[in-house]
Amino acid sequence: MKPKLLIARAIFPEIVEKLSNYFELEENQDDIIFSETELVARLQGKFGMLCTSSARVNTSLLSQVPSLKVVSTIAVGYDNFDLAACTKFGVMATNAPDVLNETTADFAWALMMATARRVTEAEHWLRAGHWEKWSYNAFLGADVHGTTLGILGMGRIGRAIARRARGFDMRVIYHNRSRLDPSAESEAGGAIYVDKETLLRDSDHLIVVVPYSAAAHHLIGEAELAQMKSSATLVNIARGGIVDDAALIRALQEKRIAAAGLDVFENEPRFNPGFLTLSNVVLTPHIASASQATRLAMANKAVDNLVAALEGRVPPNLLNNDVLQKTSIE
Ligand code: DGY
């Protein structure tokens, strides 16, 4: 008999087919977001779960699902996993990094360009039938080329964003927990390491790419926004909660910064409605990695992790290595 797997969200049919070679599946192609109670019920007797960031895996859940051995998210971000709890309950936790770096970097650029050049604002105006004549000062925006790009968080995605800046003759500055070595800086568009204050003060366009953690909560708040140029744009493709959305709305209303491009929000998908009253924001529904090829590649990574766990191998993207002491995997 095959071990049982819960596919907690809707997923590509070819991924379901692939998984069915290894597991007895319970699917959710209606894409219902299960509450913890529903997840607990569905996870009874399951060996593993394929999930997304919507599934919270913590002590409360894990203490009720003793059969569970592996949780595999189709995302690079794993702030929904309490890794210490996973280890305590002997559950391997895995994510799906790397394959999304370039696609996500492309999208950071799309948001930055759209924000600086007021693309969606202009389109809404056109669609509403307001366009009667060409005007020299219609939708004047900010240049991207030749300006200073600031990157907060210089991991793999941050570096992919930075590399693209070469083609736009930009000066790239960054702040990160640790400084990159000189060759990595040179590959990343000649990025220059600066302290957080300098990053906020000097960036014409600031992109936030840090992973969410308790320490990163409201890393960009009232005080940080106050240090930015009034002409600056801010892009967040990382996670909701890293930017204080209420403070950002105030800053945008009062034009203390020029505009923002946001793919992630606090409390998404029920984000702060204040954003909808603003014309100087570009809003997208957490789609930075959403190209057909990349989402499929992420799902395939998640499958590889599950199959490795099933076959007694170390999953390639294991997040809690210390769990190995509690499993039969060598
Ligand atoms: C990720 O991979 O973390 C994306 O944000 C999708 O959740």
Side-chain angles (χ1 to χ4, degrees), residues 175-198:
H175 183 69
N176 198 39
R177 260 177 319 184
S178 52
R179 187 176 170 172
L180 302 183
D181 63 46
S183 68
E185 285 184 345
S186 147
E187 271 171 39
I192 301 161
Y193 180 79
V194 294
D195 59 28
K196 191 176 163 196
E197 289 67 34
T198 307

Side-chain angles (χ1 to χ4, degrees), residues 14 56 67 83 87 101 155 158 181 188 196 203 215 239 241 282 286 294 308:
E14 55 261 60
R56 299 233 143 262
S67 60
L83 292 185
T87 300
N101 296 346
D181 63 46
K196 191 176 163 196
S203 296
R239 270 289 181 277
V282 178
H286 202 146
T294 291

Side-chain angles (χ1 to χ4, degrees), residues 227-245:
Q227 293 172 65
M228 292 176 68
K229 297 180 186 185
S230 58
S231 57
T233 69
L234 173 71
V235 165
N236 184 8
I237 54 148
R239 270 289 181 277
I242 294 169
V243 174
D244 176 345
D245 285 351

Side-chain angles (χ1 to χ4, degrees), residues 112-284:
M112 175 171 65
M113 300 285 285
T115 303
R117 298 300 306 276
R118 304 173 64 179
V119 173
T120 55
E121 185 189 354
E123 186 188 349
H124 289 148
W125 181 85
L126 178 150
R127 283 178 185 268
H130 297 306
W131 195 20
E132 286 170 5
K133 58 183 187 304
W134 181 92
S135 315
Y136 79 95
N137 61 351
F139 297 102
L140 297 180
D143 275 325
V144 171
H145 73 271
T147 62
T148 297
L149 170 62
I151 300 178
L152 183 58
M154 203 55 144
R156 290 163 289 202
I157 297 172
R159 297 202 290 271
I161 293 169
R163 278 202 312 277
R164 286 157 170 74
R166 275 200 197 286
F168 283 73
D169 294 328
M170 294 176 93
R171 172 174 175 254
V172 182
I173 56 178
Y174 74 98
H175 183 69
N176 198 39
R177 260 177 319 184
S178 52
R179 187 176 170 172
L180 302 183
D181 63 46
S183 68
E185 285 184 345
S186 147
E187 271 171 39
I192 301 161
Y193 180 79
V194 294
D195 59 28
K196 191 176 163 196
E197 289 67 34
T198 307
L199 183 83
L200 293 165
R201 195 188 58 226
D202 288 3
S203 296
D204 293 307
H205 305 288
L206 177 62
I207 302 183
V208 178
V209 212
V210 280
Y212 185 82
S213 65
H217 188 73
H218 287 185
L219 204 56
I220 302 288
E222 197 80 53
E224 288 74 20
L225 291 162
Q227 293 172 65
M228 292 176 68
K229 297 180 186 185
S230 58
S231 57
T233 69
L234 173 71
V235 165
N236 184 8
I237 54 148
R239 270 289 181 277
I242 294 169
V243 174
D244 176 345
D245 285 351
L248 177 59
I249 288 168
R250 285 193 295 276
L252 290 164
Q253 275 164 346
E254 294 161 16
K255 306 274 164 60
R256 282 186 273 117
I257 68 167
L262 306 170
D263 186 49
V264 288
F265 303 85
E266 289 188 270
N267 199 31
E268 63 182 57
R270 279 168 288 282
F271 60 92
N272 191 321
F275 284 121
L276 298 175
T277 66
L278 298 168
S279 57
N280 53 346
V281 281
V282 178
L283 307 171
T284 54

Side-chain angles (χ1 to χ4, degrees), residues 61-108:
L61 179 102
L62 293 170
S63 60
Q64 302 176 74
V65 289
S67 60
L68 197 65
K69 294 288 170 279
V70 56
V71 288
S72 174
T73 181
I74 311 165
V76 63
Y78 52 87
D79 45 296
N80 54 315
F81 289 168
D82 176 340
L83 292 185
C86 287
T87 300
K88 181 169 152 220
F89 286 92
V91 172
M92 289 174 272
T94 68
N95 70 338
D98 296 327
V99 285
L100 75 169
N101 296 346
E102 301 301 324
T103 298
T104 304
D106 286 350
F107 193 80

Side-chain angles (χ1 to χ4, degrees), residues 310-323:
L310 174 72
E311 293 178 343
R313 292 179 283 114
V314 177
N317 307 110
L318 184 63
L319 295 164
N320 55 337
N321 277 297
D322 44 354
V323 78

